[in-house]
Amino acid sequence: QVRLVESGGGQVQPGGSLRLSCAASGHTDSLYCMAWFRQAPGQEREAVARINDEGSSSYTQTLGDRGTISRDSGKNVVYLQLNNLKPEDTGIYYCAADPVLCFGTWEYEYWGQGTQVTVSS
C-alpha cells in the first residue's frame, strides 16, 4: 500500500505563489507516475499535471503556464509550483500516484487527502 500526504497549501493573494508537495510512503519502490489534480468549490476534480519516474511530464490547460510539476524520485516526492495565482485557482489540490499507468489515462491507483489552496485578497 502507498500513502500520499500533500502539504504546502494555504491562503495567498492574487498574483502570489505556492509550492505544493506530496510525499509518498509505504510500498514506493515502483511508483512510476505521480500527478496533481484540483477540485474547485462545487466543481468536479480535474487533472493538472503528471510526471513519470524518468522526469517526463505533461500538463492540461487547467493552470496554463502558471504551474510546474517536478519530482524527487529518490525521495518519492512530487511538487507543484504555482505562480501568478488567480482566485479561480482556489480549491483542493490532490496528489495521485500509480505503479504502472501514467500517460494516456488520469485514472490512478493511489490518492492523497488533498491540501487547500485559497487565493483571495
Side-chain angles (χ1 to χ4, degrees):
Q1 191 71 348
V2 173
R3 181 174 182 234
L4 302 175
V5 179
E6 301 94 335
S7 61
Q11 183 165 349
V12 62
Q13 292 186 344
S17 298
L18 284 174
R19 189 192 195 203
L20 307 182
S21 300
C22 171
S25 61
H27 293 167
T28 60
D29 289 350
S30 59
L31 272 184
Y32 176 55
C33 190
M34 299 186 80
W36 286 99
F37 292 73
R38 179 179 78 187
Q39 187 167 19
Q43 304 293 319
E44 292 188 356
R45 188 161 55 192
E46 56 186 343
V48 174
R50 56 195 168 189
I51 187 167
N52 69 10
D53 59 3
E54 296 178 343
S56 296
S57 61
S58 70
Y59 296 83
T60 67
Q61 293 299 310
T62 301
L63 288 173
D65 59 356
R66 299 179 296 106
T68 302
I69 191 170
S70 60
R71 179 174 178 174
D72 185 337
S73 294
K75 297 181 179 179
N76 287 307
V77 179
V78 65
Y79 305 97
L80 183 66
Q81 178 68 42
L82 302 171
N83 298 320
N84 191 22
L85 283 162
K86 303 177 180 181
E88 52 263 41
D89 295 321
T90 293
I92 301 173
Y93 285 71
Y94 294 93
C95 174
D98 199 283
V100 177
L101 304 174
C102 200
F103 306 107
T105 181
W106 290 102
E107 301 291 330
Y108 300 130
E109 183 169 354
Y110 305 112
W111 291 84
Q113 295 299 307
T115 185
Q116 175 71 45
V117 171
T118 302
V119 185
S120 70
S121 54

